């Protein structure tokens, strides 16, 4: 018969809690990834989408009158970025932010500045939250909140 390693009861408790936490984290991440996939399909389902700013700007006809931010959307992008915290997001403020934008062109401007200033795509920010060095398993908005934002933006006029 081999000798068994006897762990103190406190160490056994730590191992048990750690195992439960690891399993819960895996389950939460799997569920979050499923939600992210559904939202990504919704957000990127059509062309000339303001969340995809590269394509959106390339499809603006020359000579089109547009309503734009004077600073290119930089202040708005910073304000939106700061609404995403480490442990939670200011969901009502984020929804109000998108409700207050007048055109899809302005959304594309915010998306472009979000990438240029914060090195994150707007859709990624909405879905996953801010990219901290420590994984944020509950980051981002719910799929219903992202879908609400997307539908709100799609109902706005494109340029003016």
């Amino acid at each position: 018969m081999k000798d068994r390693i006897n762990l103190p009861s406190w160490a056994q408790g730590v191992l048990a809690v750690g195992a439960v936490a690891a399993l819960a984290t895996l389950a939460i991440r799997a569920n979050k990834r499923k939600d992210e996939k559904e939202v990504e399909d919704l957000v990127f389902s059509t062309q000339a989408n303001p969340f995809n700013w590269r394509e959106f700007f390339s499809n603006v006809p020359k000579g089109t009158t547009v309503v734009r931010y004077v600073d290119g959307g930089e202040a708005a992008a910073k304000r939106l970025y700061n609404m995403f915290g480490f442990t939670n997001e200011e969901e009502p403020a984020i929804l109000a932010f998108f409700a207050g934008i007048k055109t899809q062109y302005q959304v594309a401007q915010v998306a472009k500045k979000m990438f240029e200033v914060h090195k994150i795509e707007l859709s990624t920010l909405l879905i996953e939250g801010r990219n901290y060095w420590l994984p944020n398993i509950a980051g981002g908005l719910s799929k219903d909140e992202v879908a609400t934002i997307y539908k709100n933006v799609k109902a706005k006029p494109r340029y003016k």
Side-chain angles (χ1 to χ4, degrees):
M1 183 177 214
K2 294 185 178 183
D3 291 333
R4 292 184 169 212
I5 298 175
N6 291 324
L7 291 175
S9 60
W10 65 268
Q12 292 174 7
V14 167
L15 287 174
V17 168
V20 168
L23 289 173
T25 300
L26 289 174
I28 290 170
R29 283 186 178 168
N31 202 16
K32 181 77 176 156
R33 183 64 201 136
K34 179 180 159 237
D35 288 350
E36 288 170 1
K37 177 69 175 124
E38 290 176 17
V39 170
E40 286 169 358
D41 290 346
L42 174 68
V43 170
F44 295 109
S45 62
T46 60
Q47 290 184 332
N49 179 344
F51 292 99
N52 184 357
W53 56 272
R54 292 171 190 88
E55 171 127 359
F56 186 86
F57 287 137
S58 69
N59 289 327
V60 176
K62 290 188 189 280
T64 302
T65 304
V66 297
V67 174
R68 67 178 76 205
Y69 288 107
V70 175
D71 67 349
E74 187 169 345
K78 286 180 182 179
R79 195 170 77 243
L80 178 62
Y81 186 78
N82 289 331
M83 291 179 197
F84 285 82
F86 180 70
T87 56
N88 65 342
E89 290 73 40
E90 299 173 23
E91 289 90 351
I94 294 167
L95 294 172
F97 173 86
F98 282 98
I101 294 178
K102 294 181 174 128
T103 65
Q104 291 181 20
Y105 190 90
Q106 288 178 315
V107 173
Q109 281 186 297
V110 171
K112 181 179 180 188
K113 285 299 178 182
M114 188 67 69
F115 182 76
E116 291 173 351
V117 174
H118 300 290
K119 308 299 183 225
I120 187 170
E121 293 289 344
L122 178 56
S123 56
T124 302
L125 178 68
L126 296 176
I127 295 167
E128 297 177 7
R130 287 168 68 169
N131 291 328
Y132 292 96
W133 63 272
L134 182 65
N136 184 1
I137 60 173
L141 302 174
S142 72
K143 69 178 181 178
D144 294 334
E145 290 165 335
V146 175
T148 299
I149 289 169
Y150 179 76
K151 288 174 187 169
N152 180 321
V153 168
K154 289 307 277 182
K156 295 182 181 301
R158 295 198 66 188
Y159 308 117
K160 54 182 175 170

